[in-house]
Amino acid sequence: MYDNILVPYDGSDEARRGAEHGIELAAALDATVHALYVIDLPGTPRALALRDDEEEMREEYRAYGVEVLANLGNVAEEHGVDYETHFKTGAPSEEIVEFAEDEGMDAIVLGSAFRGKLGNLLGGTTDKVVRTSSVPVISQRMSVNDI
């Protein structure tokens, strides 16, 4: 049913909750986890000072991504799950959906932060992925007690 599961991961608490669920699901289904870290640089137009050191900033974001995906890889290894890492740059929700569709993922598993009633009206990355993806999305929501 699910052979390839996309787990977007940025190292946050809510992403970790979703990633753990994705890894457990992959272990139960003997699926491969594809962990994706999206480098999300500040929006355009950027301040001139940011543009000058954009490459340095991109390298720092990538180094952080390598670190958090390696840590997640250790969790996958503990569960005996095949694990691959991937990197993209851009708007997280768009890159997640595009990657899942282009790479033939069977499901996307991610965490969702508890943002209260007002936050739910505004929507976040998980909400955008759910609304725009043609690939099934499983979200693991954090509760107020998880904060």
Side-chain angles (χ1 to χ4, degrees):
M1 175 179 225
Y2 295 144
D3 294 322
N4 293 289
I5 299 173
L6 176 59
V7 176
Y9 190 65
D10 64 4
S12 66
D13 290 339
E14 58 269 15
R16 180 157 190 88
R17 186 170 173 108
E20 288 170 352
H21 183 74
I23 289 169
E24 290 169 2
L25 180 61
L29 299 173
D30 195 28
T32 299
V33 166
H34 295 264
L36 174 65
Y37 181 82
V38 179
I39 299 169
D40 182 19
L41 295 176
T44 305
R46 291 191 261 288
L48 187 57
L50 287 178
R51 275 188 237 143
D52 290 342
D53 66 350
E54 184 172 311
E55 192 56 39
E56 180 182 330
M57 186 183 303
R58 187 181 307 274
E59 289 175 19
E60 288 174 11
Y61 279 46
R62 184 168 177 84
Y64 174 76
V66 167
E67 180 183 332
V68 298
L69 291 186
N71 292 338
L72 190 60
N74 293 334
V75 175
E77 186 177 316
E78 290 169 8
H79 284 82
V81 171
D82 289 336
Y83 179 80
E84 296 180 16
T85 60
H86 307 275
F87 295 86
K88 300 281 280 177
T89 300
S93 59
E94 293 172 14
E95 296 299 331
I96 291 165
V97 169
E98 182 179 303
F99 182 90
E101 292 172 353
D102 290 351
E103 300 299 322
M105 296 293 110
D106 299 307
I108 303 168
V109 180
L110 36 61
S112 178
F114 179 81
R115 294 182 309 273
K117 292 181 182 181
L118 181 59
N120 286 337
L121 291 174
L122 300 174
T125 299
T126 301
D127 300 315
K128 291 174 187 169
V129 170
V130 168
R131 286 193 314 265
T132 61
S133 178
S134 63
V135 174
V137 179
I138 301 166
S139 67
Q140 181 67 36
R141 184 171 178 217
M142 292 186 74
S143 70
V144 70
N145 298 329
D146 293 327
I147 299 174

